[in-house]
Amino acid sequence: PVRDASSQEVLEMLSSYGADSPMMRGEYNPREKEIIMYPKNILRCYDKAIDKKTCNKIIKVGKSKKLQDAKIEAHGKPAVDEKIRRTNLSWTNESWIYDLVTPYIENANIANKWNYHWDWCENIQFGVYTKDSHYAWHCDIRKGPYTSEDPHFNNKVRKISLILTLNDKFKG
């Protein structure tokens, strides 16, 4: 099943980060820090789109890679900051996973009328969240375009982020 997230759902999600988060304290001003694209429909949910067997296969791939402390970008450099993000992650670029999720990205881009031009995906980030893990409210868009020798990155901005929840044993 496919549904658009309502404004109320978005507000509930944001408020779930608690009163002590910078956004809820009014200290976070994304306009000063990052490029922001605010389409009318900012979320697209596909409930139970990927079967459990495939989810377990993705988990196996993610856990087979070296897990490391998650970093955030602070002043243009990667850094560990557990107040903002506490989790372990690995990276993969398995083509079959891209083949699996790309139709959902394309559908969301069209159905939500974002109509972003996109021609490439970053490496897949596999996060392992435990009871004490968290990732505070954040924007998945940098201050400006990537600058890189790699033509896939150079002069591009992240436009669409996909979250694929691989299990149903979490709250949050």
Side-chain angles (χ1 to χ4, degrees):
V2 177
R3 64 182 171 79
D4 290 322
S6 69
S7 297
Q8 183 61 38
E9 286 177 293
V10 174
L11 290 173
E12 287 171 8
M13 176 192 71
L14 294 175
S15 67
S16 72
Y17 291 111
D20 62 338
S21 75
M23 181 179 177
M24 295 302 145
R25 289 193 314 259
E27 297 172 5
Y28 186 79
N29 184 350
R31 293 183 201 284
E32 293 178 0
K33 299 181 180 183
E34 301 169 33
I35 297 170
I36 303 297
M37 293 178 251
Y38 287 114
K40 181 178 178 189
N41 300 313
I42 64 171
L43 297 176
R44 188 104 178 144
C45 299
Y46 300 90
D47 295 325
K48 301 187 186 318
I50 310 297
D51 64 83
K52 195 169 208 157
K53 182 179 177 183
T54 304
C55 289
N56 288 333
K57 187 176 173 184
I58 296 170
I59 290 169
K60 188 175 180 178
V61 168
K63 287 185 172 181
S64 74
K65 311 291 182 181
K66 183 180 178 188
L67 290 169
Q68 56 191 343
D69 289 337
K71 296 178 180 177
I72 61 160
E73 187 173 311
H75 307 291
K77 297 181 182 177
V80 174
D81 185 341
E82 290 191 350
K83 288 186 282 184
I84 296 174
R85 186 175 196 185
R86 183 185 314 148
T87 189
N88 290 312
L89 57 88
S90 66
W91 301 89
T92 187
N93 59 1
E94 303 275 329
S95 61
W96 68 268
I97 300 175
Y98 289 109
D99 292 344
L100 180 71
V101 300
T102 296
Y104 295 100
I105 297 169
E106 290 172 343
N107 178 271
N109 191 32
I110 293 166
N112 283 14
K113 297 181 174 63
W114 303 329
N115 299 316
Y116 294 133
H117 168 77
W118 67 281
D119 58 9
W120 181 74
C121 294
E122 297 177 47
N123 283 341
I124 296 167
Q125 187 179 138
F126 175 82
V128 177
Y129 287 83
T130 63
K131 181 181 176 189
D132 296 324
S133 299
H134 69 272
Y135 198 176
W137 188 92
H138 65 285
C139 289
D140 275 352
I141 301 172
R142 302 164 46 106
K143 287 182 182 181
Y146 290 107
T147 54
S148 172
E149 297 289 322
D150 184 337
H152 292 108
F153 271 108
N154 195 42
N155 208 30
K156 291 188 178 178
V157 295
R158 185 183 296 176
K159 298 172 184 166
I160 301 173
S161 293
L162 171 104
I163 298 169
L164 178 59
T165 304
L166 298 170
N167 65 40
D168 55 6
K169 299 176 185 173
F170 81 98
K171 294 180 182 177

